[in-house]
Amino acid sequence: MSKGIAWKFGDNISTTNMVPGQFLANWNDEPSKLKDYCFIDIRPEFSKEVREGDIVVGGKNFGCGSSRESAPTALKVSGIKVVIAESFGRIFFRNCFNLGILAIESQEIAESIDDGDIIVCNFEKSQVINVSKNEIHQYSEIPEQVRQILEQGGLVNYIKNKFKSSKERK
């Protein structure tokens, strides 16, 4: 379960809007620094005000542009566990799951949420609850393997744990 404030963005928010290129030198050395630059050009207050569990909501084509893994990494180190959008850039969508961020694609849910709404995402029931508006929305159930990837914090941890488990069984 994740509970937080909704940060609402519009259509065609690119990975460059999430983390501009000039801040990407050596980002792999200290990924946590990406939080300082997340949405810096379009929501400069984001890095200082975002809290663990907050939820990012986008419009159409959220995460379009280059395949920068730094964009969903910036969200993750900012405490974002859920991104909801009308539609996603395909590589960004997959990178979210790879990093342990639930990406929910739903026009209905994205349009119903306003900036600042209090949102609860109940993973067990595949529900997004807008506490501010007293609304409950259902989203498509996540396949079991993808659920395990999310529960383990991303694809790398999932594979490490699978490998570890198979070695222990031998």
Side-chain angles (χ1 to χ4, degrees), residues 1 6 16 20 36 55 67 157:
M1 189 164 318
T16 301
D36 297 338
I55 294 167
S67 60
N157 290 339

Side-chain angles (χ1 to χ4, degrees), residues 11-154:
D11 296 339
N12 301 310
I13 300 298
S14 72
T15 55
T16 301
N17 295 132
M18 291 179 209
V19 183
Q22 69 263 33
F23 302 114
L24 295 179
N26 303 316
W27 73 269
N28 276 321
D29 296 339
E30 278 188 83
S32 62
K33 287 191 175 207
L34 289 175
K35 178 183 178 188
D36 297 338
Y37 310 113
C38 194
F39 296 116
I40 194 164
D41 289 340
I42 57 175
R43 297 279 303 259
E45 75 280 12
F46 183 85
S47 69
K48 291 176 182 61
E49 295 177 12
V50 68
R51 298 290 174 255
E52 184 79 24
D54 282 358
I55 294 167
V56 168
V57 181
K60 295 176 186 136
N61 206 23
F62 190 82
C64 60
S66 69
S67 60
R68 294 178 177 170
E69 191 176 306
S70 56
T73 300
L75 296 177
K76 183 174 183 163
V77 299
S78 296
I80 302 298
K81 291 179 178 44
V82 179
V83 179
I84 302 167
E86 290 183 45
S87 63
F88 289 96
R90 292 292 105 198
I91 295 172
F92 176 82
F93 182 77
R94 185 59 209 175
N95 279 339
C96 282
F97 287 102
N98 288 347
L99 291 171
I101 299 170
L102 173 60
I104 299 171
E105 191 168 62
S106 171
Q107 180 178 355
E108 174 196 343
I109 298 172
E111 287 180 348
S112 73
I113 297 172
D114 291 322
D115 198 55
D117 283 352
I118 298 170
I119 305 297
V120 174
C121 188
N122 184 328
F123 307 124
E124 300 285 319
K125 296 182 179 180
S126 301
Q127 291 179 336
V128 173
I129 303 158
N130 188 328
V131 177
S132 299
K133 295 180 179 173
N134 198 27
E135 297 175 346
I136 299 174
H137 299 276
Q138 208 66 39
Y139 60 88
S140 298
E141 191 173 325
I142 298 166
E144 182 57 32
Q145 187 174 22
V146 175
R147 182 181 297 275
Q148 289 175 16
I149 290 169
L150 290 170
E151 288 171 356
Q152 294 180 37

